[in-house]
Amino acid sequence: MLTGGELDPITLGLSIFTGCLLLFVLALSYSSLLVSLFPERVRTNEVYNITTDDLWRLRLCRYRRDRSRGEPILLVHGLNGNQHSFINPPGKSLVEHLVAKGYDCWTLDLRGCRSSVAPFERNITDATIDDQLMQDLPAAIRHILKTTGYEKVHYIGHSLGGMLLYAYALQFGSKHIASGVTLAAPLGFEGTEVRRSNGLVFLLGLFPSVWGNVARGVVPFAMGMNTSLGAFPINMKNLMIGVNTSVVHNLLEDPLPKVMHQFVYWVNMKTWRMNAGQLDVKDGLASLDFPLMALYAQVDPFIPLPKAREFVSALPHEDKEIVICSKENGCEQDYGHCDILFARNGVREVYEPIARWLARHAISDKPTSERPGTPDAVIAPLKTAERAGILAGISYVEKPAVKEAAAATPAPKQAAAPVAPVSPHTEAKAPALVASVADSKLAALEAESRKAKAKDEEKPVSSQRIRTAAASLESLARQFRDVDATTPSTTVSAPLKKKTAASPAPPKKSSAKSPVKKATAAPAKPEAKAKPAVAKAAAKPPAEAPAKKAAAKKPAAKSAAVKKPVAKKAPAKKAAVKKKA
């Protein structure tokens, strides 16, 4: 028996289930509320959905001045981030600073972001860092080079984006890299004290979207209390004005199981191998052969500063630079791993050094124009006045000034086309051909008119068309009167003149017979061979002759039927006379 203070197990289970269900509904409602309060805004008209070789679709956005063809820059985000790392806060972002300098900036969302689309029978959670290296970067660089016409691009990568630059140069070479800029990019985690639990990675891999919504749901409280999240080392005091809840909410992506597992393996094992273990990036860092500018934060748990200085000094390329953002080096604050992109004084301490570096490494081979086949004319950024004109419908109305200018401008004279010589035989056949074409057109119009009358439909257009055709035939007849006078085709021109001189009403069948009879009565002339159809028609007997012959045959048949009995009775009478005799 249950005492008064005890609960039935079934009741307890229902209570727990109801509470969990209620929490789930509240969390879902809260997540939907955040999405509606902080919608994603991509401030460009040029958004490309590129397709990789393994059929993933990735979002690649282009930021530039109106139709400018500056040097292209590819910007790649870090772990659990997206392109909002470079385009926010509005008016103070790295992309807007470089666009103002005349550069053509391209921001890439790697596979696994919410904007990416997995191929058939695959999921976003299948994304790996190896795939981002082997598939995403080549597809993005290939598209940029094809669209802009340049042979090289500048590369800017934050955190994991910078690590992918090192791996890309080792795997594919630096042929298409004009210069590289990395911001807080780890160098293999050797010498770091950071460790991540495999159990945490397992839990994150069970429900990635749930944990992503949890992380984004905590952002408003963390921003309100001015505290940083443990998974994202950031100096909240160094954040730029304008970095608010909306910016951070759209910046965070869902944790990807395979990506997190691979990254945590590197952190715990102090190694860095990619492409299924075939590429040892850590051992190949000393052989990077392209111009590199590396920026590091003073307070970064992933990068020991002595290791960073050693890495840059060991690079074989002489064109290299290292920048450590700290108070000791003249910065306003000691930078963290994440706020290096959103520093309070980042324009002077981060953006300007990057712009000076890019200016010193300008791409020498510049194309005169973009290659054909690019969507530049379709999705180029519109000016404010052009956009307003399209929305108001003004752009679709031809302006009077344009009409006046077109009328005032004389049309360019075109060279006359060469006229082929016409033989006398062709000139002789011309009136006959015109007559036959005119007859066929009139017959078609007459048939159309009869169909309309049969259906009791009023079609004033048909009669008008017949009158117009008759008038045109009359004008054609006038044009060929001179030809008729000079050529021997008199048998054909005479019927044509008579037909065109008639009233505009459609000719009757009876009237069409008379020209044929006259044509047959006329003496034979050379033109008779040109119209065998008319001669055949004249040679045939009229349609009434067979009917008259059939009528004549019927009385003859009746008379024969009457005479038959008389013929039979005569022998019978003779036989009777013989018997009597």
Side-chain angles (χ1 to χ4, degrees), residues 97-98 101 103 293 321 347-361:
H97 185 82
L98 295 176
K101 299 288 185 180
Y103 290 99
M293 178 183 186
E321 182 178 348
V347 175
R348 181 180 65 85
E349 299 170 354
V350 178
Y351 299 171
E352 277 299 330
I354 293 176
R356 289 194 296 266
W357 169 266
L358 296 174
R360 291 199 304 267
H361 299 83

Side-chain angles (χ1 to χ4, degrees), residues 103-440:
Y103 290 99
D104 187 3
C105 296
W106 298 74
T107 57
L108 173 65
D109 283 342
L110 296 171
R111 65 178 62 196
C113 294
R114 285 167 290 177
S115 62
S116 62
V117 179
F120 181 68
E121 292 186 349
R122 297 195 65 183
N123 197 347
I124 290 180
T125 57
D126 295 332
T128 63
I129 303 179
D130 286 355
D131 293 337
Q132 294 172 351
L133 167 66
M134 303 301 295
Q135 301 292 338
D136 298 358
L137 289 188
I141 293 176
R142 184 168 58 247
H143 178 85
I144 294 172
L145 296 179
K146 181 179 179 180
T147 304
T148 61
Y150 281 85
E151 297 297 331
K152 294 184 178 182
V153 299
H154 298 288
Y155 188 108
I156 298 178
H158 172 247
S159 188
L160 179 61
M163 299 175 71
L164 290 174
L165 170 62
Y166 301 149
Y168 178 86
L170 295 175
Q171 179 68 32
F172 300 101
S174 58
K175 175 183 176 181
H176 300 300
I177 304 298
S179 68
V181 178
T182 58
L183 299 97
L187 302 170
F189 308 101
E190 187 176 354
T192 62
E193 298 180 357
V194 178
R195 295 189 66 87
R196 290 292 183 264
S197 173
N198 293 326
L200 178 62
V201 175
F202 175 77
L203 290 176
L204 293 176
L206 291 178
F207 307 102
S209 58
V210 173
W211 293 112
N213 288 327
V214 169
R216 288 185 288 270
V218 177
V219 168
F221 302 99
M223 298 296 293
M225 294 184 293
N226 200 21
T227 58
S228 61
L229 300 175
F232 304 98
I234 184 172
N235 184 2
M236 300 295 290
K237 297 179 181 180
N238 194 32
L239 282 182
M240 184 183 296
I241 298 175
V243 180
N244 50 25
T245 304
S246 176
V247 172
V248 182
H249 176 270
N250 288 302
L251 187 149
L252 293 178
E253 290 287 342
D254 300 337
L256 303 174
K258 296 181 180 180
V259 171
M260 294 298 298
H261 177 76
Q262 192 170 2
F263 193 81
V264 169
Y265 180 81
W266 293 345
V267 171
N268 295 337
M269 303 304 295
K270 312 303 179 186
T271 184
W272 185 5
R273 286 184 173 272
M274 300 189 69
N275 192 16
Q278 300 179 12
L279 177 63
D280 192 342
V281 184
K282 187 179 70 172
D283 292 344
L285 290 176
S287 61
L288 296 176
D289 58 350
F290 60 90
L292 177 64
M293 178 183 186
L295 292 91
Y296 298 102
Q298 178 68 27
V299 184
D300 192 341
F302 300 109
I303 307 171
L305 293 181
K307 183 69 175 178
R309 293 188 180 95
E310 179 184 351
F311 158 70
V312 176
S313 62
L315 290 175
H317 203 284
E318 295 181 357
D319 196 354
K320 53 191 175 183
E321 182 178 348
I322 182 173
V323 176
I324 298 177
C325 302
S326 62
K327 291 181 179 179
E328 183 180 355
N329 294 326
C331 297
E332 184 178 348
Q333 295 284 338
D334 287 335
Y335 281 50
H337 182 80
C338 295
D339 54 275
I340 195 171
L341 290 171
F342 314 105
R344 185 180 297 273
N345 199 18
V347 175
R348 181 180 65 85
E349 299 170 354
V350 178
Y351 299 171
E352 277 299 330
I354 293 176
R356 289 194 296 266
W357 169 266
L358 296 174
R360 291 199 304 267
H361 299 83
I363 302 175
S364 58
D365 300 332
K366 296 184 179 181
T368 56
S369 61
E370 292 194 356
R371 294 182 179 179
T374 61
D376 177 70
V378 180
I379 56 176
L382 298 176
K383 296 181 179 179
T384 306
E386 294 176 348
R387 189 190 300 274
I390 291 175
L391 295 177
I394 302 174
S395 300
Y396 302 100
V397 181
E398 188 176 1
K399 297 181 180 179
V402 177
K403 291 183 179 180
E404 294 176 2
T409 305
K413 295 182 178 180
Q414 298 180 355
V419 181
V422 182
S423 61
H425 183 67
T426 306
E427 290 182 354
K429 288 185 177 182
L433 294 174
V434 172
S436 61
V437 172
D439 290 342
S440 62

